[in-house]
Amino acid sequence: MSIIKPISIIFQHPDFIVIDKPIGISVHKDQQAVGLPDLVAAQIGYSQLWLVHRLDKITSGLLILARSSEAAAEFSRLFDERRIEKHYIALSKDKPKKKQGIIIGDMEKTRNGSWKLCHSKTNPAITRFTSVSCEAGLRLFHLMPKSGKTHQLRVALRSLGSPILGDQRYGGKTALDRTYLHAYALKFDYRGETILLKQAPHDGEYFLKPSVRQQLDLLEI
């Protein structure tokens, strides 16, 4: 794993930090000797940091790393109780079946390692969303997952007929400079303190378009 520049630290708390994860970096070690938490720990002079949630390798944005096992346990509780609001943004070139609402259904793994959305709701993935047109042929989605399933948001947008721009696994037709999915905001209470963090994407030709930035500035968290 090669890191050209340091990982951006967005917020520091005695119990945790929040980073802006770049695209192309796995949160786990994979085949590498060092994982993302270890890289960030070395960068800030810590012996260890704890991963408390995940982002796909192709997803950029806000990621919480705990500074202790006790803090990691507290975040596990907050995530289990769905008390941490996660807000993502995504771009698509395809008009959705509906412009806003809830996408709900069980997810089933397919043969090629992808996932699909089912009509059943035994242990469903749940995603609230809104969307707005930025310009002709380009739509911004605001995604608010209420569960944390693998590839949940990518599958959800495919189910709407609006695969994420650049996401070839789930129907994004062409390879681009990145997959246009970004963890934009986090909102939660931690030991009596309300935390609200936002971080706009800083790479990707389409994310940097003025029409997209204008709509992002209007987004309410």
Side-chain angles (χ1 to χ4, degrees), residues 126-159:
I126 304 168
T127 306
R128 285 181 54 223
F129 77 97
T130 61
S131 70
V132 62
S133 175
C134 298
E135 57 185 65
L138 189 62
R139 195 165 197 90
L140 174 70
F141 286 81
H142 175 199
L143 304 163
M144 295 150 279
K146 302 302 177 184
S147 53
K149 311 292 187 183
T150 301
H151 293 185
Q152 176 176 329
L153 301 180
R154 299 163 70 183
V155 172
L157 284 194
R158 182 181 186 178
S159 76

Coordinates of all heavy atoms in Angstrom, one line a residue, residues 126-159:
I126 N -31.5 -1.1 4.8 CA -32.5 0.1 4.8 C -31.7 1.3 4.5 O -30.7 1.7 5.2 CB -33.2 0.2 6.2 CG1 -33.9 -1.1 6.6 CG2 -34.2 1.4 6.1 CD1 -34.4 -1.1 8.0
T127 N -32.1 2.0 3.4 CA -31.5 3.3 3.0 C -32.5 4.3 2.7 O -33.4 4.1 1.8 CB -30.6 3.1 1.8 OG1 -29.7 2.0 2.0 CG2 -29.8 4.3 1.4
R128 N -32.5 5.5 3.4 CA -33.3 6.6 3.0 C -32.5 7.4 2.0 O -31.2 7.5 2.1 CB -33.6 7.5 4.2 CG -34.6 6.9 5.2 CD -34.9 7.9 6.3 NE -35.2 9.2 5.9 CZ -34.7 10.4 6.4 NH1 -33.9 10.3 7.4 NH2 -35.1 11.5 6.0
F129 N -33.2 8.1 1.1 CA -32.4 8.9 0.1 C -33.3 10.0 -0.4 O -34.5 10.0 -0.4 CB -32.0 8.0 -1.1 CG -33.0 7.6 -2.0 CD1 -33.2 8.4 -3.2 CD2 -33.9 6.6 -1.8 CE1 -34.2 8.1 -4.1 CE2 -35.0 6.3 -2.7 CZ -35.1 7.0 -3.8
T130 N -32.6 11.0 -0.9 CA -33.2 12.1 -1.7 C -32.2 12.3 -2.9 O -31.1 11.9 -2.8 CB -33.3 13.4 -0.9 OG1 -32.0 13.9 -0.5 CG2 -34.2 13.2 0.3
S131 N -32.7 13.0 -3.9 CA -31.9 13.3 -5.0 C -32.3 14.5 -5.7 O -33.4 15.0 -5.6 CB -31.9 12.1 -6.1 OG -33.2 12.0 -6.7
V132 N -31.4 15.1 -6.4 CA -31.6 16.4 -7.1 C -30.8 16.5 -8.4 O -29.7 15.9 -8.4 CB -31.3 17.6 -6.2 CG1 -29.8 17.6 -5.8 CG2 -31.7 18.9 -6.8
S133 N -31.3 17.1 -9.4 CA -30.6 17.2 -10.7 C -29.6 18.3 -10.5 O -29.9 19.4 -10.0 CB -31.6 17.5 -11.8 OG -30.9 17.8 -13.0
C134 N -28.3 18.0 -10.9 CA -27.3 19.1 -10.9 C -27.2 19.8 -12.3 O -27.1 21.0 -12.4 CB -25.9 18.4 -10.6 SG -25.8 17.7 -9.0
E135 N -27.3 19.0 -13.3 CA -27.4 19.5 -14.7 C -27.9 18.3 -15.6 O -28.1 17.2 -15.1 CB -25.9 19.9 -15.2 CG -24.9 18.8 -15.1 CD -23.5 19.2 -15.4 OE1 -23.0 20.1 -14.7 OE2 -23.0 18.7 -16.4
A136 N -28.1 18.5 -16.8 CA -28.6 17.5 -17.7 C -27.7 16.3 -17.6 O -26.5 16.4 -17.8 CB -28.7 18.0 -19.1
G137 N -28.3 15.1 -17.3 CA -27.6 13.9 -17.3 C -26.7 13.7 -16.1 O -25.8 12.8 -16.1
L138 N -26.9 14.4 -15.0 CA -26.1 14.3 -13.8 C -26.9 14.5 -12.5 O -27.5 15.6 -12.4 CB -24.9 15.2 -13.8 CG -23.8 15.0 -12.7 CD1 -23.2 13.6 -12.8 CD2 -22.7 16.0 -12.8
R139 N -27.0 13.6 -11.6 CA -27.9 13.7 -10.5 C -27.1 13.4 -9.2 O -26.3 12.5 -9.1 CB -29.1 12.7 -10.6 CG -30.2 13.0 -9.6 CD -31.5 12.2 -10.1 NE -32.6 12.8 -9.4 CZ -33.4 13.8 -9.9 NH1 -33.1 14.3 -11.0 NH2 -34.4 14.3 -9.2
L140 N -27.3 14.2 -8.2 CA -26.7 14.1 -6.9 C -27.7 13.3 -5.9 O -28.8 13.8 -5.8 CB -26.3 15.4 -6.3 CG -25.8 15.4 -4.8 CD1 -24.4 14.8 -4.8 CD2 -25.7 16.9 -4.3
F141 N -27.2 12.3 -5.3 CA -28.0 11.5 -4.3 C -27.4 11.8 -2.9 O -26.2 11.7 -2.7 CB -27.9 10.0 -4.6 CG -28.7 9.6 -5.8 CD1 -28.2 9.8 -7.1 CD2 -30.0 9.1 -5.6 CE1 -29.0 9.4 -8.2 CE2 -30.8 8.7 -6.7 CZ -30.3 8.8 -8.0
H142 N -28.3 12.0 -2.0 CA -28.0 12.1 -0.5 C -28.5 10.8 0.1 O -29.7 10.6 0.1 CB -28.7 13.3 0.1 CG -28.5 13.4 1.5 ND1 -29.3 14.2 2.3 CD2 -27.6 12.9 2.4 CE1 -29.0 14.2 3.6 NE2 -27.9 13.3 3.7
L143 N -27.6 10.0 0.6 CA -28.0 8.6 1.1 C -27.8 8.5 2.6 O -26.7 8.9 3.1 CB -27.1 7.6 0.4 CG -27.1 7.6 -1.2 CD1 -25.9 6.9 -1.7 CD2 -28.4 7.0 -1.7
M144 N -28.8 8.0 3.2 CA -28.7 7.9 4.7 C -29.0 6.5 5.1 O -30.2 6.1 5.3 CB -29.8 8.9 5.3 CG -29.4 10.3 5.1 SD -30.9 11.4 5.0 CE -31.4 11.1 3.3
P145 N -28.0 5.6 5.2 CA -28.2 4.2 5.5 C -28.6 4.0 7.0 O -28.1 4.7 7.9 CB -26.8 3.6 5.2 CG -25.9 4.7 5.4 CD -26.6 5.9 4.9
K146 N -29.6 3.2 7.2 CA -30.0 2.8 8.5 C -29.6 1.4 8.9 O -29.9 0.9 10.0 CB -31.6 2.9 8.6 CG -32.1 4.3 8.2 CD -31.6 5.4 9.1 CE -32.1 6.7 8.7 NZ -31.5 7.8 9.5
S147 N -28.7 0.8 8.1 CA -28.1 -0.4 8.4 C -26.7 -0.4 7.8 O -26.4 0.6 7.1 CB -28.9 -1.6 7.8 OG -29.2 -1.4 6.5
G148 N -25.9 -1.4 8.0 CA -24.5 -1.3 7.5 C -24.1 -2.6 6.8 O -23.2 -3.3 7.1
K149 N -24.8 -2.9 5.7 CA -24.6 -4.1 4.9 C -23.5 -3.8 3.9 O -23.3 -2.7 3.4 CB -25.8 -4.6 4.2 CG -27.1 -4.7 5.1 CD -27.0 -5.8 6.1 CE -28.3 -6.0 6.8 NZ -28.2 -7.0 7.9
T150 N -22.7 -4.9 3.5 CA -21.7 -4.8 2.5 C -22.3 -4.3 1.2 O -23.3 -4.9 0.7 CB -21.0 -6.2 2.3 OG1 -20.4 -6.6 3.5 CG2 -19.9 -6.1 1.2
H151 N -21.7 -3.3 0.6 CA -22.1 -2.8 -0.7 C -23.5 -2.2 -0.7 O -24.1 -2.1 -1.8 CB -21.9 -3.8 -1.9 CG -20.5 -4.2 -2.1 ND1 -20.2 -5.0 -3.2 CD2 -19.4 -3.8 -1.5 CE1 -18.8 -5.2 -3.2 NE2 -18.3 -4.5 -2.2
Q152 N -24.1 -1.9 0.4 CA -25.5 -1.5 0.5 C -25.9 -0.4 -0.4 O -26.9 -0.4 -1.1 CB -25.8 -1.2 2.0 CG -27.2 -0.7 2.2 CD -27.5 -0.4 3.7 OE1 -27.0 -1.1 4.6 NE2 -28.4 0.5 4.0
L153 N -25.1 0.7 -0.3 CA -25.5 1.9 -1.1 C -25.3 1.7 -2.6 O -26.1 2.2 -3.4 CB -24.7 3.1 -0.6 CG -24.8 3.4 0.9 CD1 -23.9 4.6 1.2 CD2 -26.3 3.7 1.3
R154 N -24.3 1.0 -3.0 CA -24.1 0.7 -4.4 C -25.2 -0.2 -5.0 O -25.7 0.1 -6.1 CB -22.7 0.0 -4.5 CG -21.5 0.8 -4.0 CD -20.3 0.0 -3.8 NE -19.7 -0.4 -5.1 CZ -18.6 -1.2 -5.1 NH1 -18.0 -1.6 -4.0 NH2 -18.1 -1.6 -6.3
V155 N -25.6 -1.2 -4.2 CA -26.7 -2.0 -4.6 C -28.0 -1.2 -4.6 O -28.9 -1.4 -5.5 CB -26.8 -3.3 -3.7 CG1 -28.1 -4.1 -4.0 CG2 -25.6 -4.1 -3.9
A156 N -28.2 -0.4 -3.6 CA -29.5 0.4 -3.5 C -29.7 1.3 -4.7 O -30.7 1.3 -5.3 CB -29.4 1.3 -2.2
L157 N -28.6 2.0 -5.2 CA -28.7 2.9 -6.3 C -28.9 2.1 -7.6 O -29.7 2.5 -8.5 CB -27.6 3.8 -6.4 CG -27.6 5.0 -5.5 CD1 -26.5 6.0 -5.9 CD2 -28.9 5.6 -5.4
R158 N -28.3 0.9 -7.7 CA -28.5 0.1 -8.9 C -30.0 -0.3 -8.9 O -30.6 -0.4 -10.0 CB -27.6 -1.2 -8.8 CG -27.8 -2.1 -10.0 CD -27.0 -3.3 -10.0 NE -27.0 -4.1 -11.2 CZ -26.4 -5.2 -11.4 NH1 -25.5 -5.7 -10.5 NH2 -26.5 -5.8 -12.6
S159 N -30.6 -0.6 -7.7 CA -32.0 -1.1 -7.7 C -32.9 0.0 -8.2 O -34.1 -0.2 -8.6 CB -32.4 -1.5 -6.3 OG -32.6 -0.4 -5.4

